[in-house]
Amino acid sequence: MKSEELARAAVRALTPYQSARRLGGNGDVWLNANEYPEAVAFSLTQQTLNRYPECQPAAVITGYAAYAGVKPDQVLVSRGADEGIELIIRTFCEPGQDAIIYCPPTYGMYSVSAETSGVACRTVPTDENWQLDLAGIAAQLDGAKVVFVCSPNNPTGQVINPDDMRTLLEMTRGKAIVVADEAYIEFCPQATLSGWLADYPHLVILRTLSKAFALAGLRCGFTLASAEIIALLLKVIAPYPLSTPVADIAAQALTPQGVAAMRERVTTLLLNRRQLIDGLRDTPCVEQIFDSETNYVLVRLTASSAVFKSLWDQGIILRDQNKQPGLSGCLRITVGTREECQRVLDALNKQPSLTAAENP
Ligand SMILES: *Cc1c(COP(=O)(O)O)cnc(C)c1O
């Protein structure tokens, strides 16, 4: 038998997550992965690489707990928030039996993680304002163990209405886990649901150092939840999920100085976002700009595929969202440095203007 045939059916059927890195490209302006545009310098302080690391390094856990305003036993650290997604599914969903619910257009890893685990996916698309279809979720809840809600949502950019989150948390109480993916919460900190953890023992919040903390290459993310849920996830996580250098740098990023530096970066990026949006308003090929509470802006463009390709050929790499439900003609632009935002605007303004009839 060929190895391919020996693989699980769920794996053979899988389309891997199309990460920005896998999609390739040869650019000098990388605005396709919502990364922070500039590297932050760190030096290693731990030299004991002969020893295994702590499973949950104390300095990282206490640092994040202090930053997030929760108790240390409500924090789990993992290899990116993506590992948190996988751990939640493996902890709560019986393969071949239970389902997850998510609300497209949204982040792609919920379905990828469910499918690799043999867990069914149910989709309840968001409404015309990218808000939750609560009746649709209620109708799908029977047999679903986890509901993923990304807020602010990637790629649309808006926060999910808190009243709707409350309704969702009430309707799922005792039935399903609700995961609020807050990967971009540093760009709108007032919108966090972390203060709700005390009221809702089935609420789980995902966080990451990959976006505002400028550490996507570190691979470090956090899950916030009741101590009871964290204890369950700790049964499933690998014994050494973080290498010693990762824990070392994460602990430095979470000191009061590290957090203050992150907040300054956010202030700068929000100014750059203003510049980008103002420029997009005056750009002929831009049809629609969606509100953003994040470090990216979703736009609908005339002839978006041609524009995407043209910018790609000029070394400006954006993220094409055209294939996502409801996002025809949409590209997602990460907010970069001032210069990078200007490069995008200049390139977009040089696009030949097409009439609607010519728009493929
Ligand atoms: C980037 C991102 C993540 C993944 O974060 P990592 O910590 O890099 O794994 C999770 N959720 C959303 C919505 C993201 O955009």
Side-chain angles (χ1 to χ4, degrees):
M1 216 186 244
K2 292 200 329 212
S3 303
E4 160 88 24
E5 290 159 28
L6 292 171
R8 289 163 51 213
V11 173
R12 274 182 280 148
L14 197 71
T15 318
Y17 180 70
Q18 292 295 310
S19 71
R21 276 285 169 270
R22 272 191 185 172
L23 290 170
N26 225 331
D28 57 346
V29 180
W30 290 96
L31 301 178
N32 64 344
N34 299 341
E35 296 149 333
Y36 187 75
E38 286 164 327
V40 177
F42 287 96
S43 9
L44 294 180
T45 64
Q46 303 289 318
Q47 305 295 338
T48 52
L49 295 182
N50 56 317
R51 301 291 177 196
Y52 281 109
E54 290 174 88
C55 175
Q56 295 288 292
V60 178
I61 294 291
T62 54
Y64 204 85
Y67 162 65
V70 299
K71 295 204 223 83
D73 65 0
Q74 294 182 286
V75 180
L76 178 102
V77 62
S78 60
R79 175 173 35 79
D82 283 350
E83 188 181 25
I85 294 168
E86 190 186 304
L87 289 172
I88 292 161
I89 291 173
R90 285 169 56 210
T91 300
F92 290 100
C93 299
E94 199 69 70
Q97 183 180 316
D98 297 329
I100 65 156
I101 294 176
Y102 62 94
C103 307
T106 192
Y107 187 53
M109 281 305 291
Y110 315 133
S111 61
V112 170
S113 271
E115 284 166 19
T116 38
S117 304
V119 169
C121 293
R122 296 180 188 166
T123 57
V124 181
T126 49
D127 69 13
E128 63 285 356
N129 297 316
W130 318 121
Q131 292 294 328
L132 299 179
D133 169 6
L134 288 166
I137 294 174
Q140 295 285 332
L141 216 47
D142 197 30
K145 282 284 190 67
V146 184
V147 183
F148 285 94
V149 178
C150 188
S151 180
N153 187 39
N154 179 4
T156 54
Q158 302 85 41
V159 169
I160 300 301
N161 186 340
D163 290 338
D164 291 351
M165 289 304 294
R166 276 222 189 266
T167 308
L168 176 65
L169 283 159
E170 292 300 342
M171 93 170 62
T172 49
R173 206 187 268 280
K175 293 187 190 138
I177 302 295
V178 173
V179 179
D181 185 340
E182 296 190 341
Y184 299 94
I185 204 67
E186 282 78 16
F187 300 101
C188 51
Q190 70 292 346
T192 182
L193 302 188
S194 58
W196 296 15
L197 287 169
D199 300 332
Y200 299 104
H202 59 307
L203 171 62
V204 174
I205 296 174
L206 293 172
R207 298 285 192 82
T208 180
L209 298 188
S210 296
K211 310 290 163 48
F213 280 92
L215 288 169
L218 191 65
R219 310 306 304 126
C220 186
F222 296 87
T223 303
L224 311 179
S226 63
E228 185 189 352
I229 289 181
I230 297 299
L232 286 167
L233 299 175
L234 282 171
K235 293 169 118 179
V236 179
I237 199 168
Y240 310 109
L242 262 56
S243 70
T244 300
V246 169
D248 186 359
I249 292 169
Q252 295 175 46
L254 292 167
T255 58
Q257 305 89 293
V259 170
M262 176 277 289
R263 293 201 171 109
E264 279 178 30
R265 287 193 295 273
V266 167
T267 305
T268 307
L269 268 197
L270 295 184
L271 290 171
N272 296 358
R273 184 178 76 194
R274 187 73 267 147
Q275 168 211 0
L276 178 65
I277 291 175
D278 287 348
L280 289 168
R281 288 222 172 86
D282 297 330
T283 301
C285 65
V286 174
E287 294 175 0
Q288 198 174 3
I289 307 164
F290 296 97
D291 291 340
S292 171
E293 299 283 346
T294 64
N295 67 334
Y296 51 87
V297 181
L298 184 73
V299 289
R300 184 166 271 130
L301 298 159
T302 309
S304 73
S305 297
V307 171
F308 177 79
K309 172 84 174 40
S310 163
L311 268 64
W312 174 287
D313 291 340
Q314 298 172 58
I316 302 172
I317 313 297
L318 309 182
R319 187 79 180 210
D320 194 353
Q321 297 289 343
N322 195 44
K323 298 266 154 54
Q324 282 238 48
L327 299 188
S328 63
C330 290
L331 304 182
R332 191 192 68 195
I333 309 172
T334 302
V335 179
T337 62
R338 278 191 80 79
E339 295 70 32
E340 288 172 330
C341 292
Q342 198 55 51
R343 284 272 303 269
V344 177
L345 291 170
D346 291 345
L348 289 175
N349 275 290
K350 279 200 217 96
Q351 291 302 303
S353 50
L354 297 177
T355 64
E358 291 169 287
N359 188 3

